[in-house]
Amino acid sequence: MTLNFAAANSYYQATANATPGYPALQGDAVADVCVIGGGVAGCATALFLAQRGYRVVLLEAAGIGFGASGRSGGQLLPGYSSGQAPIKAQLGAATARQLWDLSVAAVQLSTELIQTHHIDCDLHFGHLNTAIKPRQLTDLRQYQQELEDQYHYPSLRLLARAELHNWLATDRYCAALYDSASAHVHPLNYTLGLAGAAATAGVQIHEHSPVPNISGDHTVRIATAQGVVTAQQAVLCCNAYVGALAKPLARRIMPVGTYIVATEVLGSERIRALMPNNVAVADTNFILDYFRRSADHRLLFGGRVSYSGRDFLNTAAATRKRMVQVFPQLRDLRIEYSWGGMLDITLNRAPDFGRLQNNIYYLQGFSGHGMALAGMAGKLVAEAVAGQAERFDMFTQLKHRHFPGGQALRTPALMLAMLWYRLRDLL
């Protein structure tokens, strides 16, 4: 499976804030903690550790935000891709409630980080979860009732078709669940801002420093092509790109390709006619579509996935076709940017946090729901490194299985399963 998605045609790359850049590691470095991975999880981990007084070195194989953190839909949402039911079944109602509350706090933490560190990333509040079919409307009603009755989450409002037309100029949806507490951002600029905050706090950041292996027991030795970091502890935040660095972790996740396009500039009047409110939108299909406005009045539209990790179809054309299903009035528009990225899913779609050994922690398995949760995960693992592991260990209680079929057969097996879900979406 290839995991090398070029980022050259990303709208986010084209509109990224200027950064000083960080040199590749050369020579020897000594740290209390070495963080591997320069996405939201890695940058947040490094920042929170540095704020606790730890000497931190962060190593990124490519550039800060190269992976899912810098390519995603940018939605800051509570909850987990798995939903609450699998978590409740494994850990019980009380712990499931605590984990839900942590996911809500993750959105709040993200906005606090943006405000505290003055991160320019186009933060806006509001999210619509849309229903295409009556059975999906029933699901939305049940979800709203569950969150209000069992989790005391007050930020939801159900919009019927007539009211929804005031939010979206489309006939595709029969209803939507509006969440006023969710938000969306320019994900790459958010990630770059976290890295900048970490560097200001004293973190030693090195881009273009891939790590082929980690060795050591009481002391961890992390070697790159041109240098070595010796640290007391390490945190792996590699997600879909963990690969051979930690094979036991790689067997517990599936890298999945997802794609986004950005239209040409519509102008303020036309984009507001489509979406008067600057909210993020996602439908309730298993293989979902999501979209939102950009700061310069484009439509960003994504969601098509590849479980093979290869883009056999014309991504821009296929995603544009889905966009026109939602907004037929955009059929005349050009697509100016088209890009893909890899996210990591677990078999049960719940996050996978834990320890490889006593002094090596890991964060992975955000399953497409990590833009907010990754920041909270960084805070929790920093607490665990400092000896306060109670909140982190709630996540480690979640049991995860390897994908069936091994390296050779797990992708075809998952593709067959996803075909079933795709057929269900169409019914």
Side-chain angles (χ1 to χ4, degrees):
M1 177 179 294
T2 177
L3 299 182
N4 184 23
F5 276 73
N9 199 36
S10 160
Y11 168 77
Y12 299 137
Q13 286 283 348
T15 56
N17 295 333
T19 66
Y22 305 98
L25 177 67
Q26 295 192 359
D28 295 339
V30 177
D32 297 317
V33 186
C34 181
V35 178
I36 302 174
V40 171
C43 293
T45 297
L47 171 61
F48 287 119
L49 285 167
Q51 290 176 338
R52 286 175 171 270
Y54 288 91
R55 294 175 300 167
V56 183
V57 172
L58 186 151
L59 302 177
E60 162 57 39
I64 295 297
F66 172 82
S69 295
R71 305 172 187 237
S72 75
Q75 299 180 12
L76 300 172
L77 308 176
Y80 305 93
S81 185
S82 61
Q84 287 295 108
I87 297 173
K88 188 175 179 180
Q90 279 201 40
L91 305 182
T95 302
R97 171 64 192 272
Q98 288 179 289
L99 292 184
W100 167 261
D101 288 345
L102 275 175
S103 79
V104 175
V107 178
Q108 298 167 346
L109 175 64
S110 301
T111 61
E112 289 167 6
L113 288 169
I114 291 167
Q115 294 162 358
T116 299
H117 299 287
H118 308 289
I119 299 174
D120 181 11
C121 61
D122 195 30
L123 171 67
H124 292 277
F125 285 89
H127 181 267
L128 288 174
N129 202 3
T130 56
I132 301 171
K133 303 173 177 67
R135 66 171 172 81
Q136 294 175 336
L137 171 55
T138 300
D139 291 342
L140 285 182
R141 286 195 176 111
Q142 292 174 346
Y143 182 62
Q144 179 183 15
Q145 185 173 359
E146 176 190 14
L147 293 189
E148 290 178 347
D149 293 349
Q150 298 182 33
Y151 298 97
H152 306 293
Y153 187 65
S155 303
L156 303 175
R157 182 161 68 90
L158 193 66
L159 308 177
R161 185 189 293 272
E163 186 177 5
L164 184 56
H165 277 157
N166 296 326
W167 294 68
L168 300 173
T170 178
D171 293 323
R172 181 162 174 77
Y173 308 121
C174 62
L177 192 60
Y178 173 60
D179 184 350
S180 60
S182 293
H184 58 96
V185 295
H186 185 303
L188 179 56
N189 282 337
Y190 174 52
T191 309
L192 293 172
L194 286 179
T200 299
V203 176
Q204 184 178 331
I205 299 176
H206 297 285
E207 297 177 302
H208 309 292
S209 301
V211 177
N213 61 74
I214 300 176
S215 59
D217 188 5
H218 299 295
T219 300
V220 184
R221 184 179 186 274
I222 301 102
T224 71
Q226 301 180 65
V228 175
V229 178
T230 302
Q232 297 303 307
Q233 302 184 79
V235 183
L236 308 187
C237 303
C238 307
N239 298 291
Y241 298 88
V242 68
L245 180 61
K247 290 182 179 179
L249 299 185
R251 288 193 289 267
R252 290 155 66 125
I253 58 172
M254 171 69 74
V256 173
T258 186
Y259 308 94
I260 307 178
V261 299
T263 67
E264 62 183 295
V265 175
L266 280 72
S268 175
E269 183 177 348
R270 192 173 182 186
I271 194 69
R272 290 176 187 275
L274 287 179
M275 302 176 63
N277 302 289
N278 196 350
V279 298
V281 183
D283 66 34
T284 52
N285 280 339
F286 190 86
I287 302 175
L288 55 82
D289 292 329
Y290 53 86
F291 55 91
R292 62 189 181 91
R293 290 162 36 176
S294 72
D296 58 353
H297 310 306
R298 304 171 190 269
L299 185 70
L300 308 179
F301 192 99
R304 180 175 154 264
V305 297
S306 168
Y307 288 90
S308 68
R310 299 178 177 87
D311 182 18
F312 290 120
L313 302 176
N314 183 316
T315 298
T319 308
R320 183 183 185 280
K321 182 177 179 181
R322 296 171 73 91
M323 179 188 75
V324 172
Q325 284 183 322
V326 178
F327 294 117
Q329 57 270 55
L330 298 185
R331 62 172 55 90
D332 64 316
L333 284 188
R334 290 180 295 108
I335 299 298
E336 288 198 352
Y337 299 92
S338 174
W339 67 99
M342 304 303 298
L343 57 88
D344 59 327
I345 65 170
T346 57
L347 198 57
N348 63 4
R349 296 202 167 214
D352 182 11
F353 306 161
R355 301 169 180 82
L356 279 177
Q357 57 190 54
N358 286 338
N359 59 347
I360 300 180
Y361 298 80
Y362 69 86
L363 305 171
Q364 67 173 22
F366 295 98
S367 302
H369 220 82
M371 202 67 215
L373 182 60
M376 177 59 75
K379 185 172 186 177
L380 299 185
V381 77
E383 292 174 358
V385 168
Q388 301 165 331
E390 292 84 2
R391 299 203 300 174
F392 181 79
D393 281 343
M394 284 194 294
F395 285 93
T396 68
Q397 295 174 48
L398 288 167
K399 294 180 174 59
H400 293 277
R401 292 184 292 144
H402 294 169
F403 275 87
Q407 192 71 27
L409 296 178
R410 66 177 182 169
T411 297
L414 185 63
M415 289 176 68
L416 288 173
M418 292 307 105
L419 177 61
W420 185 89
Y421 281 110
R422 177 60 181 149
L423 290 173
R424 186 175 184 273
D425 286 342
L426 294 172
L427 296 175

